[in-house]
Amino acid sequence: MILHDLISLELLRVIWWGLMGFLLIAFAATDGFDMGTAALLPFVAKTDLERRVVINTVGPVWEGNQVWFILGGALIFAAWPALYAISFSMFYFAMFLVLAALILRPVAFKYRSKREDPRWRARWDWALFIGGAAPALLFGVAVGNVLLGVPFHLTPDLMAVPDVGALMRFVGLLHPFALLCGLVSLAMLVMHGAGWIVLKTEGAVQARARRFGERAALIAVAGYLLAGLWMWLGVTGYHYAVPPPHDAPSNPLLYPVVRAGSWLHAYAERPWIWIAPVLGVLGALISWAALRAGRELLPMVGSKLSIFGVISSVGLVMFPVILPSSTDPKSSLTVWNASGSHLSLFVMLVAACIFLPLIILYTAWVYRVLWGKVTPEAVADPKTHSY
């Protein structure tokens, strides 16, 4: 028996769907507090020294945190090639804005303190704000548009064809439901960033972060519940009319998907997935209560729990659909029809089993080494080489 035949194609598809979700959650839980911290920078820090303190809470770790974003893109490219091709082409302008913001952030980190001119530093502070707030918002907008469906169809030879022009695709991103999802994402990551600032700073900066974090947590909960109600009342779901074989070839046109009912019918079919939205709401409320109570570590625990629940809830209610088509539902991509080959999924799984634990161990070691408060005295000391 060939080694890769020991694991079925069906199981490999589920494993890689789970790994895709894991990397998205890992990115939001790590680089998410970087983005939230940058989005809060103009509001929690009033003096140049306070801003330097906030910047230096994430300065040593932001590059490592973005590894999860790179790994996620590589995973989609290798394990779900059709998803990579169609999503990046359909969301091209939005992806460009996200990448531009993510590029702007490291430039701001490097150049902000090169000159002592207050106007120079203020401009880079706002660049950091954009580099944090814009991706946090746009990632949520993208998720909202995926839930609504993306306008494309597949030709008989499986070429993806957009059903609207580039301008209309961008305008379509601004659907009110998608913007609400963007607001939830932004509020959730601001809450997460506030928890990080509370953990890493002291004094006035910490107190301001608590106030903004409390508000962000309540906005995240309210927005998430409103989005759930909107999905129940006004967002049509997708599902297979006839259950397909889970080891079928990767051809969406063989077993078409239909558009009917609600995404939330998944909770009736698989009641155990209720744990995801419960954790999403409970985690945000824990973070809110911990911020009000003056706790330092618990707000981060709550926000990470909320991130896990919110992102998991989207993946679980959509399963097995991963990219629905709003104009031609039978072209929709699912876990069962859009993966790479059996051999490629197996080889990548072996590589993931070797390297993913090493990345996790190294990341944990880095955070252990850098554990502790960032103080104004340390930042002001030229020997620390801080930002």
Side-chain angles (χ1 to χ4, degrees):
M1 178 183 292
I2 300 175
L3 185 59
H4 76 271
D5 289 336
L6 294 174
I7 304 179
S8 68
L9 178 58
E10 174 186 359
L11 180 57
L12 283 170
R13 283 169 165 167
V14 173
I15 289 172
W16 280 103
W17 173 80
L19 283 174
M20 180 168 62
F22 169 78
L23 291 179
L24 290 174
I25 293 169
F27 171 63
T30 55
D31 203 45
F33 67 71
D34 294 344
M35 290 185 279
T37 298
L40 283 171
L41 177 62
F43 309 105
V44 300
K46 300 303 182 182
T47 67
D48 181 68
L49 184 57
E50 287 181 348
R51 294 189 186 99
R52 290 186 64 199
V53 167
V54 172
I55 291 170
N56 280 278
T57 65
V58 296
V61 297
W62 69 267
E63 290 177 291
N65 291 340
Q66 288 199 160
V67 166
W68 300 106
F69 182 64
I70 297 169
L71 286 175
L75 180 151
I76 294 174
F77 174 79
W80 311 98
L83 173 62
Y84 181 91
I86 296 173
S87 61
F88 274 68
S89 61
M90 295 301 297
F91 297 131
Y92 181 83
F93 190 68
M95 292 288 186
F96 173 81
L97 292 177
V98 167
L99 292 176
L102 292 178
I103 292 170
L104 183 63
R105 186 173 55 173
V107 174
F109 276 129
K110 298 299 182 183
Y111 284 95
R112 189 241 180 225
S113 295
K114 296 298 184 183
R115 294 173 58 183
E116 295 185 2
D117 182 358
R119 291 177 297 178
W120 168 271
R121 293 188 173 187
R123 294 188 191 105
W124 287 117
D125 289 340
W126 283 106
L128 283 170
F129 167 77
I130 294 170
L137 176 69
L138 290 171
F139 284 132
V141 170
V143 171
N145 277 275
V146 169
L147 288 166
L148 292 168
V150 180
F152 74 93
H153 72 273
L154 297 175
T155 64
D157 56 355
L158 300 184
M159 292 292 292
V161 179
D163 289 331
V164 296
L167 177 61
M168 291 306 299
R169 291 203 299 276
F170 176 69
V171 172
L173 296 178
L174 306 180
H175 187 282
F177 174 76
L179 292 175
L180 175 61
C181 292
L183 176 63
V184 172
S185 174
L186 178 60
M188 182 172 66
L189 296 187
V190 167
M191 170 186 67
H192 197 36
W196 176 255
I197 296 172
V198 165
L199 180 65
K200 297 290 287 183
T201 66
E202 300 171 328
V205 171
Q206 186 188 69
R208 295 185 198 112
R210 287 189 187 280
R211 292 197 296 271
F212 281 102
E214 291 172 23
R215 297 167 190 170
L218 295 179
I219 292 171
V221 170
Y224 182 61
L225 294 176
L226 179 59
L229 178 62
W230 196 327
M231 286 180 63
W232 178 256
L233 297 176
V235 178
T236 306
Y238 294 74
H239 60 86
Y240 279 108
V242 178
H246 297 168
D247 57 353
S250 291
N251 184 342
L253 301 181
L254 288 179
Y255 302 94
V257 171
V258 297
R259 187 177 189 182
S262 168
W263 285 118
L264 302 190
H265 287 165
Y267 290 115
E269 299 168 359
R270 304 187 296 274
W272 62 270
I273 69 175
W274 270 106
I275 190 172
V278 169
L279 290 178
V281 173
L282 181 62
L285 293 178
I286 289 173
S287 185
W288 171 78
L291 287 167
R292 286 185 63 86
R295 305 291 291 274
E296 293 194 345
L297 180 60
L298 192 56
M300 280 289 289
V301 175
S303 61
K304 287 183 183 292
L305 189 65
S306 181
I307 287 169
F308 173 81
V310 169
I311 296 178
S312 297
S313 68
V314 176
L316 289 171
V317 299
M318 289 184 64
F319 185 86
V321 180
I322 51 179
L323 187 67
S325 169
S326 59
T327 53
D328 185 35
K330 69 177 182 294
S331 296
S332 300
L333 306 184
T334 75
V335 171
W336 314 126
N337 68 22
S339 73
S341 69
H342 191 172
L343 179 59
S344 66
L345 294 180
F346 176 79
V347 171
M348 289 190 301
L349 182 61
V350 173
C353 289
I354 296 171
F355 292 106
L356 194 57
L358 294 177
I359 295 171
I360 294 172
L361 288 173
Y362 174 75
T363 301
W365 176 78
V366 168
Y367 278 97
R368 176 173 173 77
V369 170
L370 298 173
W371 189 259
K373 298 283 187 180
V374 178
T375 64
E377 293 77 17
V379 170
D381 186 350
K383 295 180 181 179
T384 61
H385 302 288
S386 58
Y387 288 109

